[in-house]
């Protein structure tokens, strides 16, 4: 596998993931994403780094040796893909909300639960209905202005399905100011693509010379 192809397979998915997060945080309303979709986006972004980055090459070199062929790469990609599917399946009881602060997310969840059957009371990490035997946990990342909501207990799949429509409606009524998180994510997306390409040029004398000639012809050098 050529260095250029490794850069494309490693950096491009990660840059696309950062760009997607930037889009999520750049709107005027919070963005709610189902758990499997959120995990799918994460594994797509990190999967290239795991599969084709230093970690993936080290694993294949240790198991097979330096002479890694197409069959070994296909098997390794299949293992990473299976890992992604398992993670996505485990997130079916969760939704993730971007571009919202912790207080507003908690208030939105409390409002929606008030309209659902049962009596939900405050717990340390969320809300719980003792008679129903199920509850909602809320985990927030204040710096990234995002949070994850997960159902647990008896019939958690039913509870999360009941919660989603109302939560989306409540969040749509809560406009958000522009966030610096979106600018940070767009910047990370650019750096993720530029840094590996710059490193590749720096390590290749012929590429450096070609770049120098190009800049001279443009009178930038």
């Amino acid at each position: 596998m050529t260095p250029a192809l490794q850069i494309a397979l490693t950096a491009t998915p990660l840059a696309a993931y950062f760009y997607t997060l930037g889009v999520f945080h750049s709107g005027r309303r919070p963005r709610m994403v189902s758990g499997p979709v959120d995990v799918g986006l994460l594994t797509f972004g990190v999967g290239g780094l795991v599969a084709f980055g230093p970690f993936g090459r080290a694993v294949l070199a240790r198991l097979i040796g330096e002479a890694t062929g197409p069959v070994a790469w296909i098997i390794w990609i299949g293992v990473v893909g299976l890992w992604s599917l398992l993670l996505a399946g485990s997130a079916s009881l969760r939704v993730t909300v971007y571009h919202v602060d912790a207080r507003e997310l908690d208030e939105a969840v409390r409002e929606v639960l008030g309209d659902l059957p049962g009596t939900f009371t405050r717990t340390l990490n969320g809300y719980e209905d003792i008679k129903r035997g199920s509850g909602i946990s809320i985990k927030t990342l204040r710096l990234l202005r995002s949070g994850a909501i997960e159902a647990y207990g008896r019939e958690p799949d039913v509870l999360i399905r009941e919660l989603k429509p109302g939560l989306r409606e409540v969040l749509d009524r809560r406009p958000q100011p522009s966030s610096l998180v979106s600018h940070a994510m767009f910047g990370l997306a650019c750096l993720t693509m530029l840094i590996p390409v710059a490193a590749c040029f720096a390590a290749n004398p012929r590429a450096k010379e070609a770049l120098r000639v190009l800049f001279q012809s443009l009178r930038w050098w």
Side-chain angles (χ1 to χ4, degrees), residues 107-184:
E107 291 176 353
V109 172
R110 184 171 68 247
E111 181 179 343
V112 176
L113 291 177
D115 296 332
L116 296 183
T119 303
F120 288 87
T121 58
R122 196 74 171 88
T123 63
L124 184 63
N125 297 316
Y127 297 89
E128 184 176 308
D129 185 346
I130 298 177
K131 291 184 179 180
R132 184 170 178 168
S134 59
I136 291 290
S137 66
I138 306 173
K139 299 178 181 178
T140 57
L141 296 173
R142 295 181 181 274
L143 291 178
L144 296 180
R145 288 179 53 83
S146 62
I149 303 164
E150 187 168 3
Y152 64 88
R154 186 185 307 156
E155 297 183 335
D157 55 327
V158 176
L159 178 57
I160 201 69
R161 283 201 305 268
E162 293 175 346
L163 183 75
K164 284 181 181 180
L167 183 60
R168 191 183 302 275
E169 181 180 347
V170 170
L171 291 172
D172 285 342
R173 300 199 304 264
R174 295 176 177 266
Q176 299 294 314
S178 59
S179 173
L180 293 177
V181 177
S182 63
H183 303 296

